[in-house]
Amino acid sequence: MNREKLQSTTSIFTESVRKLLFGSEGEHIWLNGIAKMVLSKMNLEIILEDMILFKKYIKSGDVLDFGTGSGYIAVLLENDGFKVNAVDVDNYDEYGKNDYNRLMTQDQKKLWGKLTDGFKNLMFSYYKDILPYKDNSFDGVCAYAVFEHIPTSKIPNVLEEIRRVLKPGGVLFISRLPRNLALSEYLAKIFKLGCHEKLFRDDEMSHILTKSEFKIIEKSYEEAIPAYPESITNRLFPFLRILNKLFLKTPLKYFSHHLRIVSKVIK
């Protein structure tokens, strides 16, 4: 994945979202949020780093985008040469039969449909408890901004399923795992800008992964400089991009927003 490919794939994704929103009635809160997600240049910079690192450990093959959400990461992986299955829970069935979840699920299905029309090596599915795939199906699993949304008690069972569908030596790539020392989360909570309920200690997910028979290969900090609000960070992007890289080489990295963890399944 290079910057040009990231930008072209993002444009295709954004156009799919725009077409769904055009002429739609009512408040499409989730879909509007997805449209704004890709506007931040700092956010896209971090995603580019993730895609490059993913390719370092998984050169090609079958991959699973676990907790795919909008499908954005899935289309990036597909356009980078992978055969991609993408899976998520049905929010309407799993988290409550309310109007928000109903409309979100409807928009999600429509968006997935548009994306599969444009990306041929891509398939979306819903799941509940058991992943709808055979044992040893995937060379890698990507879990992007996912585990903070899973109840802590369910994480071992989720990892057991991921372990089952990974091939021996397969890679689990976790990114955007929010940290309990994150300055961004602290400020968001104070100013009521929206923050995660679940934040992870730096050793917490590593410990859970080790207990679930995954071997940690690499762990790093992400987003020392906030990616949002994009109205500010985009104007200062050239400067903030350099500053972010510098901060990640200093003790200031311990206030970064996210963790990235790369692990291999032990079979």
Side-chain angles (χ1 to χ4, degrees):
M1 176 67 66
N2 56 38
R3 198 176 303 278
E4 183 179 350
K5 185 179 283 189
L6 175 72
Q7 290 173 345
S8 64
T9 311
T10 301
S11 295
I12 295 170
F13 176 83
T14 304
E15 181 63 13
S16 297
V17 176
R18 189 193 67 79
K19 285 180 178 178
L20 282 180
L21 283 171
F22 182 76
S24 297
E25 296 180 358
E27 277 192 295
H28 294 258
I29 298 172
W30 178 80
L31 198 57
N32 275 293
I34 296 303
K36 293 177 181 178
M37 173 194 69
V38 296
L39 296 178
S40 167
K41 293 180 181 179
M42 288 293 290
N43 183 35
L44 292 179
E45 186 72 13
I46 296 165
I47 290 172
L48 177 60
E49 292 173 3
D50 281 322
M51 293 298 103
I52 291 171
L53 188 60
F54 189 89
K55 192 82 169 184
K56 172 185 172 182
Y57 288 105
I58 310 160
K59 304 296 183 186
S60 60
D62 296 295
V63 299
L64 174 65
D65 182 24
F66 177 78
T68 187
S70 67
Y72 175 59
I73 297 299
V75 299
L76 292 178
L77 292 170
E78 196 274 355
N79 204 29
D80 209 21
F82 295 101
K83 184 177 179 181
V84 183
N85 278 269
V87 71
D88 209 339
V89 297
D90 185 324
N91 270 47
Y92 186 67
D93 286 338
E94 186 78 10
Y95 297 120
K97 291 179 168 54
N98 54 52
D99 288 341
Y100 172 83
N101 285 336
R102 177 184 55 78
L103 189 56
M104 173 194 166
T105 302
Q106 289 175 358
D107 286 341
Q108 187 179 44
K109 288 177 180 176
K110 290 176 184 176
L111 181 55
W112 287 358
K114 284 189 173 294
L115 296 177
T116 51
D117 287 341
F119 297 88
K120 301 305 179 186
N121 290 315
L122 174 59
M123 183 175 293
F124 291 96
S125 303
Y126 285 113
Y127 92 104
K128 184 177 178 66
D129 299 327
I130 306 297
L131 290 169
Y133 312 108
K134 295 179 181 179
D135 296 0
N136 305 321
S137 292
F138 300 106
D139 300 283
V141 173
C142 181
Y144 208 89
V146 173
F147 279 96
E148 64 272 23
H149 302 294
I150 301 173
T152 304
S153 62
K154 289 188 175 184
I155 290 179
N157 293 332
V158 168
L159 288 173
E160 184 178 345
E161 271 298 285
I162 290 175
R163 185 177 183 278
R164 179 183 66 79
V165 301
L166 272 172
K167 297 176 182 178
V171 171
L172 171 57
F173 186 95
I174 298 172
S175 187
R176 291 295 178 90
L177 191 73
R179 302 175 57 248
N180 68 327
L181 294 179
L183 181 60
S184 298
E185 291 284 347
Y186 177 74
L187 292 174
K189 188 174 183 179
I190 287 179
F191 294 106
K192 299 181 179 177
L193 299 175
C195 58
H196 292 99
E197 291 183 12
K198 171 63 179 174
L199 301 174
F200 288 82
R201 302 186 310 276
D202 284 358
D203 63 343
E204 186 176 353
M205 194 65 197
S206 298
H207 179 67
I208 295 170
L209 286 165
T210 302
K211 284 188 67 175
S212 298
E213 299 186 75
F214 287 85
K215 179 182 178 182
I216 308 300
I217 303 172
E218 181 176 332
K219 188 161 74 170
S220 55
Y221 296 100
E222 299 177 291
E223 201 178 324
I225 300 293
Y228 298 93
E230 72 275 2
S231 58
I232 296 174
T233 59
N234 283 355
R235 286 202 297 268
L236 301 174
F237 173 68
F239 171 69
L240 294 180
R241 178 187 171 197
I242 295 170
L243 196 63
N244 186 63
K245 291 180 184 289
L246 290 174
F247 279 11
L248 290 173
K249 295 179 180 179
T250 74
L252 290 171
K253 66 185 179 183
Y254 297 116
F255 299 103
S256 297
H257 197 172
H258 299 108
L259 269 179
R260 176 195 290 124
I261 304 174
V262 184
S263 63
K264 274 191 177 182
V265 68
I266 302 170
K267 289 190 179 181

